[in-house]
Amino acid sequence: MSQKSLLNEMQQVQLAIELIELNARLQVLESETDLSRGRLIRLYKEVRGMSPPKGMLPFSTDWFTTWMPNIHASLFYGIFLRLTGEQGCERMEGFIKAYRLYMELADSEAEEPVLGLTRAWTLVRFFESGLFELSSCTSCSGKFVNHAHTPSQGFVCGICQPPSRAGKTRKRRLINENSELTAKEQLG
């Protein structure tokens, strides 16, 4: 094996490890590396201590245009564009850096981020295939994920105009947690 091919294989393994650490699915690893499926499964087991999850990848573009996922997807994609366009990062280097930064900015108390790595990767692929484009909000001028070729005049983002039930679930959960704590304090 030549030194160049050995170096390439090491880079492929490093990329796979970074993606596995960020909870990448096997299909993502197969698409983004040149490593064999068997090698990726062994690597996954070594890094995560378990077999990779099975099942199909999400494929709905509609998920990204709902209220909270749209805000998170738009944040992530904006970071990704900045790193790959303005900072000169290669596609996957920019993707990993953007996802790590997104994770730092997203709700760190949540058990699972709104935008998992697989969905972030799917989002990038949707943009690359022309299914999505960014639309500017007429209220705040922010750029948000939107279906391609959708008329965007009069577009208002979910931050400027949240749906009527936005945030109700989290608020209810916090109220329930506070009432449980109060009840425990009274009993204890």
Side-chain angles (χ1 to χ4, degrees):
M1 186 178 274
S2 73
Q3 189 172 5
K4 187 176 182 179
S5 62
L6 183 61
L7 181 61
N8 181 48
E9 186 172 340
M10 288 172 45
Q11 290 171 332
Q12 294 288 308
V13 169
Q14 183 59 40
L15 173 60
I17 289 171
E18 288 183 72
L19 290 170
I20 291 167
E21 289 172 343
L22 292 169
N23 293 327
R25 300 277 297 273
L26 192 57
Q27 295 94 323
V28 174
L29 300 171
E30 287 178 309
S31 292
E32 297 300 335
T33 69
D34 298 328
L35 303 174
S36 70
R37 182 176 179 85
R39 181 122 187 241
L40 289 169
I41 291 171
R42 287 190 304 276
L43 198 55
Y44 195 97
K45 287 178 181 178
E46 187 177 323
V47 172
R48 304 283 300 173
M50 61 181 152
S51 295
K54 296 186 178 7
M56 296 184 60
L57 296 180
F59 188 77
S60 172
T61 57
D62 293 337
W63 182 87
F64 294 100
T65 59
T66 59
W67 178 63
M68 186 64 73
N70 186 262
I71 294 168
H72 284 255
S74 300
L75 171 65
F76 164 78
Y77 196 69
I79 297 167
F80 173 77
L81 284 180
R82 190 88 186 257
L83 289 170
T84 56
E86 296 174 24
Q87 301 300 317
C89 289
E90 294 292 323
R91 180 179 171 272
M92 284 310 292
E93 175 193 10
F95 175 79
I96 290 170
K97 286 181 176 182
Y99 191 73
R100 285 189 172 136
L101 184 54
Y102 159 75
M103 292 292 292
E104 287 179 28
L105 297 171
D107 187 5
S108 60
E109 295 178 20
E111 291 178 18
E112 206 169 300
V114 172
L115 187 69
L117 181 114
T118 300
R119 286 207 191 260
W121 178 78
T122 303
L123 174 72
V124 170
R125 300 276 298 238
F126 285 162
F127 270 98
E128 290 171 346
S129 64
L131 293 172
F132 280 141
E133 61 188 16
L134 292 174
S135 294
S136 293
C137 174
T138 56
S139 182
C140 69
S141 301
K143 296 194 180 296
F144 291 84
V145 173
N146 200 2
H147 290 283
H149 313 297
T150 301
S152 59
Q153 62 269 28
F155 174 80
V156 179
C157 71
I159 296 173
C160 294
Q161 190 174 3
S164 60
R165 303 228 5 108
K168 302 286 186 191
T169 307
R170 173 181 259 176
K171 191 174 185 179
R172 183 171 289 130
R173 186 182 75 222
L174 289 172
I175 291 169
N176 288 341
E177 287 174 2
N178 286 337
S179 61
E180 285 176 18
L181 286 173
T182 304
K184 285 179 183 178
E185 289 172 357
Q186 291 175 350
L187 293 173

